[in-house]
Amino acid sequence: DTLRRVWWLAQQGGKLLVLDANPGTANAPETPHVALDLSAHQRPFNQLLGFALDPGHATNRWLFVAYVHADGKPDGSRLSRFTFSEGPRPVVDIASEVILLTWLGGGHNGCALRFGPDHKLYVSTGDGSSPEPPDALRTGQRLDDLLSSILRLDVHPADPSKAWAVPKDNPFVNRPGARPEVWAYGFRNPWRMAFAPDGSLWVSDVGWELWETVHRVTAGYNGGWAREEGPHVVDASMAPPTPVGRPVAAHPHTEAASITGGVFHQGTELAEFRGHHVY
């Protein structure tokens, strides 16, 4: 598949570009090619925040995109599925959009998308608030909405009439009042995340006033926000519905300002970093 020889790059302004990953490769684009420009089609439009190619994209040509079309609206953030054309210069069919899920737009939106080793789609969401006051919606320690969470969806359901389904083994499926899509929660703005070689999910959570944190997240994990931020208690009045987990790394703002990424290096270059989380 020629798509394995190119990079896909999202720009916050709405464009999704395809670039040649190996200059000189036959049939690969020589210059960045605009496969999608949401800002040209979506009105209103705010920002493009994340995307993921389906594991079976070589045959189904599916692309999943998370974007904010309007701040402040209950459905302002969207997770959508698109279909794109074949070949080294793919074009995303804007009319193919299927909106899978929506949540509050504005403030911290998260919007990282990753397919796990289980082929389920993991989606991060933020607390939907501005920095002050912390967690203004008091959503971090709640399970009855989609905010401040890592969602886990089955986008290849057995029923072909459905675009997605809730996996039966999601941790809160049988908890009264909880949103069954929630796989983990208690995050301020889980801007990026990555799967480790052992299959575990590592989440980088952008901090508030004192700490930047990295979490090794398992099913049902509670990142603590906004009761806690790293080792610091922010709001002790928030009662956690499940125990708060502990980050694998917490950086004070004396040495770090805003954690914005994290990947596991698995290349042949820089061998000393192979298998390590770099952020």
Side-chain angles (χ1 to χ4, degrees):
D1 184 353
T2 55
L3 292 179
R4 294 176 182 172
R5 297 196 294 268
V6 299
W7 288 330
W8 291 65
L9 172 69
Q11 293 183 323
Q12 217 170 355
K15 291 182 179 179
L16 190 62
L17 308 178
V18 178
L19 301 87
D20 185 0
N22 299 290
T25 300
N27 298 321
E30 296 179 357
T31 58
H33 161 66
V34 179
L36 172 67
D37 185 357
L38 276 172
S39 65
H41 299 279
Q42 176 65 52
R43 294 288 188 273
F45 175 81
N46 186 281
Q47 51 189 339
L48 168 60
L49 292 177
F51 74 96
L53 292 168
D54 188 272
H57 70 273
T59 54
N60 62 27
R61 302 289 162 179
W62 283 354
L63 169 74
F64 295 86
V65 178
Y67 67 96
V68 181
H69 75 91
D71 279 346
K73 289 192 174 183
D75 63 347
S77 293
R78 287 178 177 170
L79 170 67
S80 291
R81 188 190 75 199
F82 294 88
T83 303
F84 60 93
S85 63
E86 298 184 31
R89 300 180 70 83
V91 175
V92 176
D93 179 6
I94 193 70
S96 70
E97 181 177 17
V98 177
I99 299 174
L100 307 185
L101 208 58
T102 63
W103 60 93
L104 178 68
H108 304 136
N109 291 289
C111 287
L113 304 184
R114 293 290 182 272
F115 276 95
D118 55 4
H119 283 199
K120 301 298 188 291
L121 180 60
Y122 293 73
V123 183
S124 72
T125 68
D127 65 13
S129 301
S130 298
E132 297 288 348
D135 195 8
L137 302 176
R138 297 184 68 82
T139 184
Q141 292 301 300
R142 289 168 52 185
L143 291 168
D144 60 351
D145 62 33
L146 299 180
L147 299 178
S148 289
S149 298
I150 308 298
L151 313 177
R152 178 174 179 257
L153 310 178
D154 181 358
V155 293
H156 309 103
D159 184 348
S161 68
K162 296 181 178 180
W164 66 279
V166 174
K168 294 180 180 179
D169 58 347
N170 271 10
F172 303 112
V173 165
N174 297 315
R175 187 182 180 104
R179 288 294 298 256
E181 301 93 337
V182 174
W183 188 75
Y185 70 104
F187 302 100
R188 181 175 181 267
N189 192 18
W191 175 241
R192 288 296 176 256
M193 55 190 183
F195 281 94
D198 66 2
S200 62
L201 180 62
W202 290 49
V203 175
S204 300
D205 197 15
V206 179
W208 179 47
E209 286 194 336
L210 295 175
W211 297 90
E212 304 297 317
T213 55
V214 181
H215 301 260
R216 186 180 187 274
V217 178
T218 54
Y221 183 89
N222 180 1
W225 181 253
R227 177 184 172 84
E228 302 174 16
E229 179 190 48
H232 172 65
V233 175
V234 176
D235 187 347
S237 70
M238 287 190 171
T242 63
V244 174
R246 291 288 169 254
V248 295
H251 295 279
H253 279 191
T254 53
E255 67 179 18
S258 176
I259 189 165
T260 54
V263 296
F264 282 88
H265 177 56
Q266 299 186 60
T268 56
E269 301 295 328
L270 301 173
E272 65 273 25
F273 289 108
R274 185 173 176 84
H276 288 262
H277 188 249
V278 183
Y279 59 96

